[in-house]
Amino acid sequence: MKLVSEFLNSIPIQTTTLVSLISILAVFGPFISVSGGFWDATNHLLNDPEYFWSIQHMVVYFGVSLVASAGFLSMFLLIKKSVHGILKTGILLVVIGAAIQLISGFADSLSHDVFGIDGLISWSHQPLELGLVLASLGGFLVLKNKEHTRLKILIPFSIISFLFFTTWLVFNFALIFGHTIQCIY
């Protein structure tokens, strides 16, 4: 661990630059991912054939890769122990959200291979959405720490994104508890 810490401390990137990059990736990544998800859901409604490399899936994967990049960069800051307080909490949420999205994305791919096209409610979609919520909340907290910079312009966007993702997750949980079947064939 000491070797990793020494290596990371030798990288000439400033903490403020990394924090700025993490905040941008953590705010835009979930938004892009959800946009691709809505586009994909619309294609499901149109009964268009689905395949792994569809343009809609590529948009989702791009958004998730942005969040995963933010999570990876966040790990540098956590290992270097160069963040504290609310900034550290935000960065931890980005890491956890990114990890949940990556694991759930792989599980969703397996689910599609085994069960075919699914609806809004599936055992892999809700954790994926939770990852979006956590990453966007983390992005907001990181941005809040940068509110005295030019990045403050993204704070309203991050708040709206977080509220939207949270509302969407709650809506889907309400469908589960309301015994609504959302299979699209």
Side-chain angles (χ1 to χ4, degrees):
M1 189 67 171
K2 183 178 179 180
L3 183 62
V4 171
S5 180
E6 287 177 15
F7 170 73
L8 292 176
N9 287 328
S10 71
I11 296 174
I13 298 175
Q14 292 183 352
T15 298
T16 55
T17 304
L18 275 179
V19 169
S20 297
L21 185 57
I22 289 166
S23 65
I24 292 168
L25 294 172
V27 168
F28 285 110
F31 183 78
I32 291 169
S33 184
V34 167
S35 298
F38 284 152
W39 187 8
D40 186 45
T42 303
N43 259 20
H44 285 283
L45 291 172
L46 296 173
N47 290 324
D48 282 349
E50 169 145 333
Y51 54 97
F52 185 78
W53 294 108
S54 69
I55 187 72
Q56 302 86 349
H57 286 179
M58 295 305 292
V59 172
V60 172
Y61 306 146
F62 178 68
V64 170
S65 69
L66 292 179
V67 176
S69 298
F72 181 73
L73 293 173
S74 295
M75 293 298 294
F76 283 138
L77 295 178
L78 292 172
I79 291 171
K80 286 173 70 171
K81 297 181 181 175
S82 59
V83 291
H84 306 286
I86 196 76
L87 179 59
K88 183 177 181 179
T89 302
I91 285 182
L92 279 171
L93 287 172
V94 169
V95 170
I96 293 167
I100 290 173
Q101 284 183 62
L102 290 173
I103 292 166
S104 297
F106 179 70
D108 190 47
S109 177
L110 290 176
S111 174
H112 282 288
D113 290 344
V114 173
F115 303 112
I117 296 175
D118 53 14
L120 293 175
I121 310 299
S122 78
W123 64 275
S124 57
H125 286 178
Q126 276 57 58
L128 191 89
E129 293 166 4
L130 177 63
L132 287 166
V133 168
L134 294 176
S136 64
L137 176 59
F140 166 72
L141 293 175
V142 172
L143 271 176
K144 191 69 176 141
N145 185 275
K146 304 287 287 176
E147 71 181 327
H148 301 294
T149 67
R150 286 182 277 174
L151 290 174
K152 70 182 177 186
I153 195 166
L154 295 177
I155 290 176
F157 181 76
S158 69
I159 292 169
I160 291 169
S161 295
F162 170 71
L163 291 174
F164 177 74
F165 301 146
T166 304
T167 303
W168 184 252
L169 182 62
V170 170
F171 170 73
N172 283 329
F173 275 128
L175 291 177
I176 291 172
F177 294 118
H179 303 290
T180 303
I181 299 172
Q182 290 290 319
C183 295
I184 302 171
Y185 293 104

